[in-house]
DNA sequence: CCTATACTTACGAACGCTCGTTAGCCTTAA
DNA sequence: TTAAGGCTAACGAGCGTTCGTAAGTATAGG
């Protein structure tokens, strides 16, 4: 359980790491954004890398919790996959800064945190693949492994350009992606 | 026209920037990889950022040259799009380090190079969108803008995981992606 | 209610080190 | 004789982090 002040520091760090990058953000930059002196941060945190870890690990928890919620209900496989894509997009859009750090800055973690991160990400991808496999079970030409890679690749890229203040809500974007991914972009007639 | 020695420096810088990141790679790291002393690099280059720019700008040229080659021949729209996706994947797979720097480290460019980079990238995406638009002209439910975003998002992510030494050749990977993107992942019968 | 004690949060200075870059000198080959 | 390409040494700035200290707040004992 982190104190309220520490949560503020983590949130500000996520913003700065996302916009400037982890190594290009100094502890004094972070302190200045919080109206503190550089050394004062260390009343709350152990190290700069701890901040990176807390941001990245919390994001991993968000992704995994979302998948658990999606698979808990008893819906048809295609609907479950649709919910998972919506959820994945939602986690990213909900905290874009954290998602950016999760996708872009994780590699600056050192061991053993780096391995811990990778294990959680592998776990997430494996669970996601099971959902995809169930949805494409009647499509013999589609390999669930590559379908999963395609879906997660397309959606992970969101953090590079998505603007939460823009006109496109996350669910609407997800539905557009889902329609194209499910039925292809070469559709002579509209989806019924 | 860069000298042979400078090309070596650029290539090594691309490797290091890709694996460690731009800001986490010091000029002394780069010099050591080339069996030089730190200061000696400056006989060949003006600054660290010039290296970043040369890598990123060359990659942009590769992408644009590929698109020009693809659109030069007189093929049906769908085949042109297929060639463009193959080409995009090919440019990434051909020089994974340069592609990684192109996608991951460009934001550390300062003005005016940052704007120059973004202009070239916008140009590329606009040309790609025209190819997509021609291919999906008979698919009223598909917006070329979002189809382009989907295709480029999925393929850009390649640099995160693709291993040129692995068992999957770039063209084969591209064809798998194209099949799913064109016809969707929910296909009760195989594509004829 | 008052006081003693401890805890929290911050300051400001400093530590040892690394950063990108520059200057001047030396060697080699054309 | 010149020029290219390497060396060593150094510059000022900034890095993450630690330190001693102090003010403010909460808690507990009498």
């Amino acid at each position: 359980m982190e104190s309220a002040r520490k949560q503020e520091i983590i949130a500000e760090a996520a913003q700065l790491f996302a916009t400037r990058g982890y190594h290009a953000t100094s502890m004094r930059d972070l302190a200045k954004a919080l109206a503190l002196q550089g050394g004062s941060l260390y009343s709350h945190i152990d190290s700069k890398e701890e901040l990176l870890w807390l941001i990245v690990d919390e994001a991993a928890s968000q992704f995994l919790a979302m998948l658990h919620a999606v698979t808990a209900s008893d819906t048809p496989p295609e609907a479950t996959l649709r919910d998972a894509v919506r959820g994945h997009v939602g986690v990213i859009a909900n905290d874009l800064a954290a998602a950016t750090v999760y996708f872009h800055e994780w590699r600056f973690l050192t061991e053993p945190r780096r391995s811990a991160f990778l294990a959680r990400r592998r776990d997430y991808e494996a669970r996601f693949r099971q959902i995809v496999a169930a949805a494409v079970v009647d499509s013999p030409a589609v390999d669930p492994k590559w379908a999963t890679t395609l879906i997660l690749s397309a959606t992970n890229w969101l953090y590079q350009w998505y603007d939460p203040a823009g006109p496109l809500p996350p669910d609407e974007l997800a539905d557009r992606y889902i329609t194209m991914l499910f039925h292809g972009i070469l559709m002579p007639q509209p989806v019924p």
Side-chain angles (χ1 to χ4, degrees), chain A:
Chain A
M1 199 56 48
E2 317 289 1
S3 77
R5 191 71 172 127
K6 186 163 183 178
Q7 294 288 1
E8 290 179 53
I9 294 173
I10 296 169
E12 190 63 47
Q15 287 293 333
L16 290 176
F17 291 173
T19 54
R20 304 187 195 177
Y22 177 71
H23 273 114
T25 303
S26 76
M27 294 305 276
R28 288 171 181 84
D29 291 338
L30 174 58
K32 181 174 285 185
L34 292 155
L36 285 180
Q37 296 296 316
S40 307
L41 291 168
Y42 290 84
S43 298
H44 302 274
I45 63 165
D46 293 336
S47 67
K48 187 184 185 184
E49 194 189 324
E50 190 210 353
L51 279 175
L52 178 58
W53 167 252
L54 289 170
I55 296 162
V56 153
D57 191 52
E58 170 61 23
S61 296
Q62 295 284 328
F63 281 117
L64 281 162
M66 178 277 298
L67 262 206
H68 278 108
V70 159
T71 48
S73 69
D74 189 20
T75 45
E78 292 183 19
T80 303
L81 178 54
R82 186 202 58 210
D83 291 344
V85 174
R86 281 185 184 165
H88 191 81
V89 170
V91 170
I92 296 170
N94 245 327
D95 193 342
L96 201 56
T100 301
V101 176
Y102 177 85
F103 288 121
H104 214 102
E105 312 291 337
W106 66 267
R107 61 204 180 113
F108 298 120
L109 290 170
T110 60
E111 295 296 347
R113 294 197 256 230
R114 186 186 171 100
S115 290
F117 165 83
L118 289 171
R120 296 199 81 182
R121 198 179 66 171
R122 270 197 308 274
D123 182 28
Y124 180 74
E125 289 171 357
R127 290 174 192 275
F128 208 103
R129 181 151 64 238
Q130 288 185 351
I131 296 173
V132 173
V136 303
V137 71
D138 292 326
S139 310
V142 174
D143 185 333
K145 179 184 168 186
W146 295 116
T148 306
T149 304
L150 181 72
I151 293 170
L152 290 182
S153 297
T155 47
N156 286 350
W157 195 254
L158 262 185
Y159 82 90
Q160 292 263 0
W161 60 270
Y162 185 75
D163 176 13
L168 194 67
D171 270 4
E172 195 174 315
L173 172 71
D175 287 346
R176 283 182 182 275
Y177 274 21
I178 289 162
T179 301
M180 292 189 282
L181 287 165
F182 278 15
H183 306 103
I185 62 173
L186 303 186
M187 299 180 291
Q189 60 274 8
V191 179

